[in-house]
Amino acid sequence: MLTIGELASYAGVTVRAVRHYHAKGLLPEPERDHSGYRRYDAGAVVELIKIRTLAEAGVPLRRVRELLQADEEEFAAAVADIDKRLRTEIRERQRHRERIARLASGDNLALPREVVEFLDRLRALGVDERIVRVERDGWIPLAAHSPERIPEWMARKREQIADPQLIDFYLTLGQALDRTDDDPQLVELADQLAAYITRMADEQGEGYVDDADIEPPFVKLMDALAFDTAPPARRLIELLREQGWTGWTKLERVTPTRGAAGTRREDTAVQRSQRER
């Protein structure tokens, strides 16, 4: 006869595990001897090994008793069911691992791979990180709202950033982020941007400039994100309207505010004259 410690040792479990199986009703608890100790026979060793084997295989303890009492056909069906459940759990855990990996990789957290590659390409081209953040923050809600359109949009983005003129705009915009609203460089930047957009619309059609088909609430949200990240962007949009374009996320052709543009250019000329004195 064996003590509880010897039983646990032979079966390869802990004494605590034996007591736990007793509490769950999986392993019958023997009577105590005249000294007050439990004594186990060889059959208890066999049962305990079966319990341990099933538990280590991932069988929930609530089903161990069922399997121990099942015939061959019932056992096979139960094992197949458990295996199916385990495969589901494994897939779910793999998805969890992928999410955790994305948590550690910055942009990958909430963005498709195509967008992350686009952002990395902007960085490689020397675009200011603040501009990259504006792009990233805008794509997060857009990718969540319309994931099926990401490949199409990214194909267009890859085509656009192959244009040196657009890259020049990105680089100039990065330099302008530390400027004040009345800085002439913002005016020059608006001129460059308007020229680029106009050329693109003339060559490719206005649908090429604005083909995102984004709902107005999302446009407002994405514009707000851009303005919060890069406050000079708001002033840029005002300057851009003077030349016939408006919008940050959704570009639209509008009637140029020529009077404001003329006044703005006169003010700029005065400012330059004052600096030269």
Side-chain angles (χ1 to χ4, degrees):
M1 302 296 286
L2 304 172
T3 65
I4 189 172
E6 292 170 332
L7 170 69
S9 178
Y10 284 141
V13 300
T14 64
V15 171
R16 182 178 180 181
V18 175
R19 291 183 176 135
H20 182 64
Y21 296 149
H22 283 326
K24 291 293 185 181
L26 299 176
L27 183 68
E29 187 172 355
E31 297 292 335
R32 296 178 182 271
D33 63 15
H34 63 279
S35 299
Y37 293 101
R38 300 186 183 94
R39 297 294 179 177
Y40 299 85
D41 58 17
V45 177
V46 173
E47 286 299 302
L48 184 54
I49 290 174
K50 289 180 179 180
I51 295 170
R52 185 206 70 192
T53 302
L54 290 170
E56 289 179 347
V59 178
L61 291 183
R62 66 180 181 276
R63 300 202 62 181
V64 167
R65 181 197 295 273
E66 170 191 344
L67 292 181
L68 289 174
Q69 298 174 351
D71 59 27
E72 185 174 342
E73 184 177 346
E74 292 171 336
F75 186 88
V79 167
D81 179 65
I82 292 169
D83 181 63
K84 179 180 178 181
R85 177 183 59 81
L86 289 175
R87 287 200 303 271
T88 300
E89 289 182 1
I90 289 170
R91 287 193 295 269
E92 184 62 26
R93 287 179 181 274
Q94 183 61 38
R95 286 193 289 270
H96 290 166
R97 291 188 66 230
E98 292 171 356
R99 294 188 188 108
I100 291 298
R102 292 172 68 185
L103 283 172
S105 58
D107 295 337
N108 287 297
L109 172 60
L111 288 172
R113 179 172 299 178
E114 300 99 317
V115 179
V116 174
E117 291 174 353
F118 166 67
L119 297 177
D120 288 341
R121 179 58 180 159
L122 291 181
R123 292 187 178 98
L125 290 168
V127 175
D128 190 288
E129 184 62 29
R130 289 170 293 182
I131 303 302
V132 177
R133 286 201 301 269
V134 170
E135 290 280 347
R136 180 199 63 198
D137 292 348
W139 282 107
I140 288 174
L142 192 56
H145 181 255
S146 303
E148 73 285 351
R149 296 201 65 188
I150 290 299
E152 169 195 348
W153 287 331
M154 284 298 100
R156 182 62 50 80
K157 280 291 186 180
R158 286 192 296 270
E159 179 181 343
Q160 290 173 349
I161 62 173
D163 186 337
Q165 189 169 339
L166 179 60
I167 297 305
D168 288 342
F169 162 70
Y170 270 123
L171 298 177
T172 305
L173 178 58
Q175 297 171 4
L177 290 182
D178 296 321
R179 305 287 180 171
T180 59
D181 285 355
D182 59 353
D183 193 303
Q185 189 170 356
L186 285 178
V187 176
E188 295 170 5
L189 177 61
D191 291 343
Q192 293 177 28
L193 178 57
Y196 170 77
I197 297 171
T198 301
R199 178 177 64 82
M200 185 168 62
D202 291 343
E203 292 177 356
Q204 305 288 345
E206 291 190 21
Y208 184 86
V209 174
D210 177 30
D211 67 339
D213 192 24
I214 305 173
E215 297 174 6
F218 270 84
V219 172
K220 291 183 179 180
L221 173 63
M222 294 167 68
D223 281 356
L225 287 170
F227 297 150
D228 289 344
T229 304
R234 191 183 299 275
R235 176 57 179 155
L236 280 174
I237 298 306
E238 296 173 358
L239 296 172
L240 199 61
R241 176 178 282 274
E242 296 175 3
Q243 300 195 46
W245 292 96
T246 190
W248 181 272
T249 301
K250 184 178 177 65
L251 282 169
E252 295 179 292
R253 195 187 289 269
V254 295
T255 302
T257 54
R258 298 297 183 185
T263 300
R264 182 254 296 175
R265 292 182 185 279
E266 290 175 4
D267 290 344
T268 300
V270 170
Q271 292 169 356
R272 287 175 178 170
S273 174
Q274 291 174 343
R275 287 201 304 273
E276 291 171 356
R277 291 177 181 177

